Amino acid sequence: MKRKLLFGERMLLGDGTEAFNAVIPFRLRGSFTEKEIQHALNQIQAKHPWLRAIISYDENNIPWFEVPEPTLPIPIRTVNRISEDDWKGESAKEWQTLFNYEEMPLIRFVWIKGEEVSDMLFAFHHCLCDGGSAMAFLYEFLQILDHPSAEIGQENPILGIQDVVPSEILNHKGQKLKAKLIGRLAATAIKCIPVRKKAVEREKDYLIHWKLNEETSRELISYCKSQEVTVNTFLSAAVLHAFKKVRGEAAFNKVSCPVDIRRFAPQIKDDHIFAFGLMIVVSVNDKMSFTENLRWMQETVERKTSKLNPYITMMVMESAHDALKNFTRLLKNGKSSNDCMFSNLGRIQIPHQYKEFTLETIFSPSVIGPLGNTTTMVTSTFRGEMDFSFMGSEGYLPHSQALAIRDEVMKTIKLQLDPIAVL
């Protein structure tokens, strides 16, 4: 089984010399053996062909996902658990470790082994899948780890754009012409945009992690409902406010927010191993108060989201493979135009209590890659607690400023939930 990488996947893959890795850490209370862990990993590989895949190149140097025979198992790296923060250091190590993807799968596993509590990490190349896909195979891994003979089904994998874009759109002459025209115009424009000769020196990467307790998380969700805005909009506003407060004129007043393609393309199932995403950019209006901004931003988000068209977007990108080099150069060497990427995975619907162990927490995923500004904030909610991972690099956002931004985000949350206590 094999398929060509789509434009976005090729962009994330790069040339193999720079890592673009995502990490999902989680904490289990219980005892395990490596044999049990390897069995669970083997079973999720058996369900998902692309978890077995390597990258091969054809005569035109085009990369393909290819499933080799026999199956190459997901490698396990075991380290002794010394402290509760070991997962942060191991996450950072995994960001930097290249995948030998022509000979090994694009996914690996880290077991931070303790006597009663273990932290575990799935690390995978971002070209393989997104956070939604990763949560699906994490859920399946835990099912098998708890019950080795559990049935998790079989994925019918996406084999190309034809499995996502309906044939009546993909083969429509007018739509094909439109996609090709937009692709050519974009390719020409990208080629003409001036960029630096060298990319910004990234310097040291870092991870800042924190949680809201269950009570505060519940109050925040209730507050957002009362304001008729999403938690995503509220947190985007809080992040933008924090960047402005900390960075002043250096702030861009722009946050990029991924939008799950599954909302618009039902062909992509929750358990599909797939990496393509959609994006919108949000800003605040400096002339409005925070609460006024929330409603204005919510309207903006809904308007922009309603205009997203995953099918045409994919067709445009697939018509522009010859522009990949220039597009990658623009992302790497172009001037940064947004403060950060902000992604809210929402409530993680994975059980926490199992027969053989307890899933104490899932830490929000982290990801760092070479395509420009690395500043990223990811949040998720598990067992009622909102969890934040804030990644960055000193060359783009100094660690001291990132800490100050975290503090400002927390101040904004506290101010909106408990104004009397703050004032």
Side-chain angles (χ1 to χ4, degrees):
M1 183 182 294
K2 60 189 297 188
R3 76 164 173 87
K4 285 183 181 179
L5 271 69
L6 301 173
F7 180 95
E9 294 166 339
R10 286 184 66 188
M11 181 183 70
L12 295 170
L13 179 70
D15 62 5
T17 62
E18 297 173 293
F20 200 150
N21 302 343
V23 179
I24 295 184
F26 53 101
R27 178 167 292 162
L28 299 181
R29 180 172 292 277
S31 60
F32 313 92
T33 65
E34 185 167 329
K35 184 178 179 181
E36 292 168 338
I37 292 171
Q38 190 70 70
H39 172 74
L41 295 175
N42 292 346
Q43 291 304 101
I44 64 171
Q45 277 189 299
K47 172 177 177 175
H48 302 285
W50 304 133
L51 296 187
R52 311 194 295 270
I54 59 173
I55 300 290
S56 62
Y57 290 85
D58 62 20
E59 63 277 6
N60 297 314
N61 204 36
I62 303 298
W64 292 66
F65 289 122
E66 182 174 359
V67 180
E69 293 292 344
T71 295
L72 300 168
I74 294 172
I76 300 172
R77 179 168 65 86
T78 303
V79 296
N80 290 325
R81 188 174 190 268
I82 298 170
S83 77
E84 292 209 340
D85 289 333
D86 289 345
W87 66 271
K88 296 179 184 177
E90 295 303 327
S91 294
K93 187 180 294 184
E94 289 298 323
W95 296 339
Q96 309 293 341
T97 305
L98 293 170
F99 280 92
N100 180 17
Y101 51 65
E102 292 188 63
E103 298 181 11
M104 296 293 291
L106 293 108
I107 181 169
R108 52 185 177 247
F109 190 86
V110 181
W111 180 17
I112 307 173
K113 184 179 180 181
E115 289 186 11
E116 296 181 356
V117 176
S118 287
D119 292 329
M120 300 181 179
L121 283 70
F122 274 108
F124 54 92
H125 199 295
H126 199 12
C127 77
L128 180 67
C129 66
D130 61 7
S133 299
M135 288 300 168
F137 66 67
L138 169 58
Y139 174 42
E140 294 160 357
F141 168 81
L142 294 169
Q143 283 182 288
I144 301 293
L145 190 62
D146 187 51
H147 184 48
S149 60
E151 268 295 330
I152 58 173
Q154 184 69 41
E155 180 193 359
N156 184 21
I158 291 170
L159 297 174
I161 189 173
Q162 71 278 0
D163 289 340
V164 177
V165 180
S167 58
E168 61 270 22
I169 298 175
L170 186 62
N171 300 318
H172 189 281
K173 287 185 178 179
Q175 298 285 26
K176 288 169 70 175
L177 182 62
K178 177 183 176 182
K180 192 169 184 179
L181 179 61
I182 295 173
R184 290 302 88 204
L185 289 172
T188 302
I190 288 168
K191 194 173 182 179
C192 296
I193 296 173
V195 297
R196 305 181 185 94
K197 290 184 179 181
K198 277 186 165 186
V200 171
E201 182 60 44
R202 197 160 104 188
E203 300 177 31
K204 186 178 180 181
D205 299 326
Y206 54 81
L207 167 64
I208 301 170
H209 172 262
W210 73 98
K211 285 180 180 287
L212 300 183
N213 62 35
E214 192 172 352
E215 181 183 359
T216 304
S217 300
R218 186 170 56 249
E219 289 176 356
L220 176 54
I221 293 169
S222 297
Y223 174 83
C224 291
K225 286 180 179 177
S226 72
Q227 297 295 314
E228 298 182 334
V229 300
T230 64
V231 172
N232 196 74
T233 297
F234 176 95
L235 292 174
S236 295
V239 168
L240 286 163
H241 173 78
F243 268 89
K244 181 65 175 178
K245 189 78 178 289
V246 173
R247 305 209 78 197
E249 294 301 314
F252 296 101
N253 189 26
K254 289 182 181 178
V255 167
S256 301
C257 296
V259 179
D260 191 351
I261 191 174
R262 294 164 184 80
R263 290 173 53 184
F264 305 91
Q267 300 87 340
I268 306 172
K269 306 304 180 186
D270 287 344
D271 63 350
H272 267 133
I273 303 300
F274 196 62
F276 187 89
L278 301 169
M279 197 80 66
I280 61 172
V281 176
V282 297
S283 302
V284 298
N285 188 326
D286 290 334
K287 297 178 181 178
M288 293 182 179
S289 68
F290 185 85
T291 51
E292 290 171 335
N293 254 306
L294 288 180
R295 297 180 184 89
W296 178 78
M297 286 176 66
Q298 187 63 48
E299 291 173 3
T300 303
V301 166
E302 289 171 1
R303 183 176 67 253
K304 288 185 174 184
T305 303
S306 69
K307 292 180 179 179
L308 292 174
N309 187 326
Y311 303 137
I312 291 298
T313 301
M314 287 189 74
M315 290 171 68
V316 167
M317 294 175 77
E318 289 310 292
S319 73
H321 275 264
D322 59 332
L324 180 66
K325 187 175 180 180
N326 287 331
F327 188 54
T328 301
R329 180 174 59 90
L330 175 64
L331 291 176
K332 283 186 175 182
N333 296 7
K335 291 183 178 179
S336 183
S337 61
N338 70 329
D339 294 299
C340 78
M341 181 177 291
F342 174 72
S343 177
N344 179 14
L345 294 178
R347 188 161 67 93
I348 298 175
Q349 308 217 30
I350 294 179
H352 80 272
Q353 192 62 58
Y354 294 81
K355 186 175 69 173
E356 300 296 335
F357 56 83
T358 300
L359 175 59
E360 291 202 342
T361 192
I362 299 173
F363 302 103
S364 290
S366 62
V367 59
I368 282 190
L371 301 180
N373 191 348
T374 60
T375 313
T376 304
M377 189 180 295
V378 181
T379 185
S380 59
T381 302
F382 181 68
R383 298 183 70 179
E385 293 184 334
M386 210 167 286
D387 183 278
F388 294 81
S389 290
F390 189 10
M391 293 71 66
S393 306
E394 289 281 355
Y396 286 102
L397 180 70
H399 184 255
S400 58
Q401 291 188 11
L403 288 172
I405 287 167
R406 174 203 61 187
D407 293 344
E408 285 297 330
V409 168
M410 292 301 295
K411 282 181 186 178
T412 297
I413 292 172
K414 188 168 178 59
L415 178 64
Q416 299 307 314
L417 301 187
D418 191 11
I420 296 175
V422 174
L423 296 173

